[in-house]
Amino acid sequence: MFVGVIHHINDPEGFQAAEDKAIEQGLPPNVSLPIHAATPDHRTGICIWQGESVDAVRDLDESVVGPFSDNEYFELEVEGLTP
């Protein structure tokens, strides 16, 4: 399934460092992060994940960037792509 996340980032430097470290270490085999983007001031981020469930993505994401942002999670329907 595809999971959308909107990050309302309160610590852009901390968020970026945590995200970079997690990507460098590698994501678990049951999730991928095909799209991640941020506004120029890095106060808002938008990610589209592929994972088993919204809860699975939320658990992973919050463990990495939760201290640096308030996050919204929701299931997405993406035309032309299959999870």
Side-chain angles (χ1 to χ4, degrees):
M1 95 170 4
F2 290 98
V3 178
V5 183
I6 299 175
H7 301 284
H8 303 281
I9 302 167
N10 53 49
D11 179 353
E13 290 178 7
F15 185 99
Q16 187 64 53
E19 182 182 56
D20 290 346
K21 182 178 178 183
I23 290 172
E24 180 182 306
Q25 291 177 340
L27 296 171
N30 59 337
V31 296
S32 65
L33 180 58
I35 298 174
H36 57 110
T39 57
D41 66 359
H42 293 275
R43 292 285 178 184
T44 303
I46 297 174
C47 295
I48 298 178
W49 290 83
Q50 283 184 275
E52 295 176 2
S53 67
V54 172
D55 289 338
V57 169
R58 179 184 297 114
D59 290 348
L60 173 63
D61 198 52
E62 289 293 329
S63 73
V64 174
V65 298
F68 311 106
S69 60
D70 295 317
N71 309 301
E72 300 175 53
Y73 299 87
F74 42 89
E75 182 177 346
L76 294 175
E77 294 179 0
V78 179
E79 291 184 33
L81 297 176
T82 55

